[in-house]
């Protein structure tokens, strides 16, 4: 599963959504007695739901044909309460899947449960790492069942929606970079309509679409699997889910790997995280442009970063004036090109399409960047992913309600970091008028029984800046940090790096980590 480079559009006619894995909020107040009382009720509810799930287990069957998960992968369901404060109230079913360990029964060490990020990402593709014989995971697969799940609201797990999916993907959208106050007003209207649409279409679920509730769901899945303790792999937003799980259920963690880490500080969740992303995306965009310039013999886009940037600005201006193929404007361009700062694996494909366009082949760009209106299933998944992303981040934390603050912060950032700033702002602006109560983020910290956690992070990551790994490392006592210095691909553990892969294997297979934090050289740079 791609670690959720979600490209989609917000509203029916105007705001681009970025592929942001993460987004931003304001400092949360200290928990009141009422808050603590609510958390105690939810903790009791989680224990009740877990006990029920342990008794019920999971009825594993062949997966439904249209899920695209062939034997020997098996699928099943785990029942959880919508509201953990009311464990006997309304219930939903979460889709889970697994593939058994490939080694002997004696080698088996339990289940390794995975979350790819988002929020809004499905983990159901995780067992295909075994069926596709991924070399990076072959050793770990001998010891663990690989278990994936659709989190609450996602995919097959009581999916939520905020807008008609075909409207959601329709193109071209308005340029996210505003030329006037009227442009800003139009985007603000779309953001408010989107928030209202979430409430109209999914209002019963919205108050309960939070990271702590997904962490409680994870503990119910642990119990249903028959495991006393969980082994967990989380990437991107999945690291924040892991951090919250480790805080709420420290004694239920056996081993935990978190890769490309969300800064879990309360004052970062979620408004500030977005602003920090905008800065990091600009840096990684420049890394890509440098690489394109270095490989000018292959792409013919310029021999310097400035020359490549000039071509990009020219493409953007052309698409703004007259959308390419009638459907690819600046919003769609950002939706496509943003994968380059996300993943090194996108460097060659994106540069190739760009090169073809400059050489006169516009169709390659239209094929790559325009929505496919005939792909109704894909469009439903896209809209659902964005709905969950918005619902979780808007409900997790308090967001600024003052448009003046949003305007000031994003106008300032856009001057120096224009690649993603306004696109990111419009994606998250529904949180300013969110129609349900916004919660206080969990204070992530070490609790009794939490084992050593392995943290893996590249220094130039755009979606989850490096400081997030440093902050979680401080908060989880005894954790170990592996830094991939000079790299920036989002999601490190799935890449081939001889300095990192054996250390992840050793930790998952033996529990052992290095005596001190480790700095590794980057994985191989893509070649045209």
């Amino acid at each position: 599963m791609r670690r959720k480079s979600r490209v989609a559009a917000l509203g029916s006619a105007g705001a681009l959504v970025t592929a942001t894995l993460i987004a931003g909020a304001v400092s949360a107040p200290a928990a009141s007695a009422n808050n603590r009382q609510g958390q105690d009720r939810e903790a009791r509810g989680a224990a009740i739901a877990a006990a029920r799930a342990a008794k019920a287990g999971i009825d594993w069957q062949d997966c439904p044909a249209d899920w695209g998960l062939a034997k020997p992968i098996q699928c099943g369901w785990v029942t959880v309460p919508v509201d953990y404060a009311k464990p006997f109230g309304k219930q939903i079913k979460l889709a889970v899947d697994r593939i058994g360990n490939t080694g002997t029964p004696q080698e088996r060490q339990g289940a390794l449960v995975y979350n790819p990020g988002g929020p809004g990402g499905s983990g159901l593709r995780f067992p295909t790492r075994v069926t596709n014989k991924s070399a990076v995971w072959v050793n770990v697969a001998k010891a663990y069942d690989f278990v994936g799940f659709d989190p609450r609201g996602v995919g097959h797990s009581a999916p939520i929606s905020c807008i008609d999916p075909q409207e959601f993907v329709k193109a071209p959208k308005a340029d996210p970079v505003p030329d006037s106050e009227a442009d800003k007003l139009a985007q603000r209207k779309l953001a408010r309509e989107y928030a209202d649409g979430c409430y109209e279409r999914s209002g019963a679920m919205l108050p309960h679409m939070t990271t702590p509730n997904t962490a409680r769901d994870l503990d119910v899945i642990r119990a249903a699997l028959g495991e006393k303790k969980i082994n967990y792999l989380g990437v991107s937003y999945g690291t924040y889910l892991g951090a919250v799980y480790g805080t709420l259920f420290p004694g239920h963690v056996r081993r935990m790997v978190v890769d490309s880490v969300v800064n879990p500080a309360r004052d970062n969740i979620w408004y500030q995280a977005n602003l920090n992303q905008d800065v990091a995306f600009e840096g990684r965009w420049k890394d890509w442009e440098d690489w394109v310039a270095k490989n000018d013999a292959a792409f013919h886009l310029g021999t310097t970063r400035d020359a490549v940037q000039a071509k990009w600005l020219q493409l953007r201006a052309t698409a703004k004036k007259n959308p390419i193929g009638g459907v690819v404007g600046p919003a769609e361009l950002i939706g496509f090109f943003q994968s380059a700062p996300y993943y090194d694996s996108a460097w060659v494909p994106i540069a190739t399409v760009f090169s073809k366009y400059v050489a006169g082949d516009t169709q390659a760009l239209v094929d790559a960047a325009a929505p496919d209106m005939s792909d109704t299933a894909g469009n439903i998944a896209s809209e659902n992913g964005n709905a969950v992303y918005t619902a979780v981040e808007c409900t997790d934390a308090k967001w600024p309600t003052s448009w003046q603050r949003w305007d000031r912060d994003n106008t300032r950032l856009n001057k120096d970091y224009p690649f993603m700033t306004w696109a990111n702002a419009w994606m998250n602006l529904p949180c300013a008028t969110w129609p349900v109560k916004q919660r206080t983020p969990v204070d992530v910290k070490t609790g009794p029984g939490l084992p050593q956690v392995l943290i893996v992070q590249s220094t130039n990551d755009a979606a989850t800046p490096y400081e997030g790994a440093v902050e979680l490392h401080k908060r989880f006592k005894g954790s170990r940090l592996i830094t991939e210095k000079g790299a920036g691909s989002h999601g490190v553990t799935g890449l081939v790096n001889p300095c990192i892969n054996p250390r992840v294997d050793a930790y998952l297979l033996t529990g052992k980590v290095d005596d001190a934090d480790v700095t590794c050289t980057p994985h191989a740079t893509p070649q045209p």
Side-chain angles (χ1 to χ4, degrees), residues 1 17 65 97 210 233 403 417 520:
M1 151 106 204
V17 302
D97 69 345
T210 65
L233 169 64
W403 165 246
Y417 312 102
C520 293

Side-chain angles (χ1 to χ4, degrees), residues 67-262:
W67 290 18
L69 299 163
K71 288 192 280 191
I73 298 170
Q74 295 178 303
C75 291
W77 302 94
V78 174
T79 301
V80 299
V82 171
D83 180 356
Y84 278 94
K86 299 173 181 171
F88 299 104
K90 183 173 169 52
Q91 311 286 310
I92 55 173
K93 289 184 185 301
L94 305 180
V96 293
D97 69 345
R98 72 164 182 187
I99 192 166
N101 73 303
T102 60
T104 64
Q106 292 73 30
E107 287 176 286
R108 186 177 179 276
Q109 295 192 39
L112 177 63
V113 185
Y114 173 69
N115 180 271
S122 166
L124 292 181
R125 302 292 302 165
F126 184 53
T128 66
R129 294 189 186 182
V130 180
T131 54
N132 294 338
K133 299 184 167 50
S134 167
V136 171
W137 295 101
V138 68
N139 296 324
V140 174
K142 287 178 184 169
Y144 291 97
D145 304 344
F146 278 24
V147 175
F149 69 105
D150 274 350
R152 59 172 52 209
V154 174
H156 305 292
S157 297
I160 67 166
S161 169
C162 293
I163 186 175
D164 175 78
Q166 295 298 97
E167 278 293 307
F168 178 71
V169 301
K170 202 164 66 177
K173 310 289 180 200
D175 186 347
V177 179
D179 290 326
S180 64
E181 289 303 311
D183 287 350
K184 292 177 184 177
L185 203 59
Q187 297 282 17
R188 290 171 65 190
K189 182 171 180 281
L190 282 167
R192 184 183 287 273
E193 286 171 356
Y194 186 85
D196 291 346
C198 293
Y199 191 71
E200 285 163 20
R201 294 168 77 99
S202 306
M205 285 283 286
L206 289 196
H208 311 293
M209 290 293 298
T210 65
T211 302
N213 276 340
T214 303
R216 295 176 187 112
D217 293 344
L218 186 56
D219 200 59
V220 177
I221 290 170
R222 170 201 61 76
L225 290 166
E227 304 283 351
K228 286 192 167 55
K229 296 190 176 189
I230 201 172
N231 305 287
Y232 178 77
L233 169 64
V235 183
S236 190
Y237 166 79
T239 66
Y240 184 58
L241 176 58
V244 171
Y245 183 84
T247 302
L248 297 181
F249 302 98
H252 293 183
V253 180
R254 180 175 178 266
R255 289 183 193 146
M256 179 180 285
V257 179
V258 286
D259 170 3
S260 305
V261 181
V262 173

Side-chain angles (χ1 to χ4, degrees), residues 410-447:
N410 288 285
T411 299
R412 174 179 55 82
L413 272 180
N414 185 67
K415 285 191 176 81
D416 295 320
Y417 312 102
F419 179 66
M420 289 292 286
T421 295
W422 278 114
N424 209 2
W426 304 130
M427 179 182 180
N428 296 287
L429 190 59
C431 297
T433 59
W434 198 237
V436 302
K437 182 185 174 186
Q438 294 175 318
R439 306 291 288 255
T440 300
V442 168
D443 183 19
V444 168
K445 59 188 175 186
T446 309

Side-chain angles (χ1 to χ4, degrees), residues 152-398:
R152 59 172 52 209
V154 174
H156 305 292
S157 297
I160 67 166
S161 169
C162 293
I163 186 175
D164 175 78
Q166 295 298 97
E167 278 293 307
F168 178 71
V169 301
K170 202 164 66 177
K173 310 289 180 200
D175 186 347
V177 179
D179 290 326
S180 64
E181 289 303 311
D183 287 350
K184 292 177 184 177
L185 203 59
Q187 297 282 17
R188 290 171 65 190
K189 182 171 180 281
L190 282 167
R192 184 183 287 273
E193 286 171 356
Y194 186 85
D196 291 346
C198 293
Y199 191 71
E200 285 163 20
R201 294 168 77 99
S202 306
M205 285 283 286
L206 289 196
H208 311 293
M209 290 293 298
T210 65
T211 302
N213 276 340
T214 303
R216 295 176 187 112
D217 293 344
L218 186 56
D219 200 59
V220 177
I221 290 170
R222 170 201 61 76
L225 290 166
E227 304 283 351
K228 286 192 167 55
K229 296 190 176 189
I230 201 172
N231 305 287
Y232 178 77
L233 169 64
V235 183
S236 190
Y237 166 79
T239 66
Y240 184 58
L241 176 58
V244 171
Y245 183 84
T247 302
L248 297 181
F249 302 98
H252 293 183
V253 180
R254 180 175 178 266
R255 289 183 193 146
M256 179 180 285
V257 179
V258 286
D259 170 3
S260 305
V261 181
V262 173
N263 184 334
R266 277 175 154 179
D267 60 3
N268 190 62
I269 304 298
W270 285 107
Y271 180 73
Q272 187 60 42
N274 263 331
L275 302 180
N276 295 342
Q277 270 189 333
D278 299 336
V279 176
F281 261 100
E282 197 73 30
R284 193 60 180 159
W285 173 249
K286 288 173 179 172
D287 289 349
W288 178 71
E289 290 183 319
D290 287 339
W291 174 86
V292 171
K294 187 179 164 192
N295 289 286
D296 185 59
F299 302 119
H300 315 295
L301 292 167
T303 56
T304 65
R305 179 200 296 172
D306 287 348
V308 178
Q309 177 70 1
K311 288 264 196 331
W312 159 250
L313 293 175
Q314 187 183 349
L315 169 60
R316 213 184 173 291
T318 300
K320 184 181 177 81
K321 190 174 177 184
N322 190 14
I324 297 154
V327 284
V328 177
E332 290 71 36
L333 288 176
I334 295 171
F336 172 60
F337 276 84
Q338 70 191 350
S339 291
Y342 257 111
Y343 307 111
D344 291 7
S345 60
W347 282 17
V348 173
I350 288 176
T352 302
V353 169
F354 194 6
S355 177
K356 284 181 177 177
Y357 171 82
V358 169
D361 177 2
T362 59
Q363 193 57 45
L365 182 57
V366 172
D367 290 345
D372 178 357
M373 300 306 288
S374 69
D375 180 17
T376 50
N379 297 340
I380 288 167
S382 230
E383 190 277 325
N384 168 244
N386 193 75
V388 175
Y389 167 89
T390 309
V392 171
E393 296 203 352
C394 294
T395 311
D396 259 357
K398 311 290 190 294

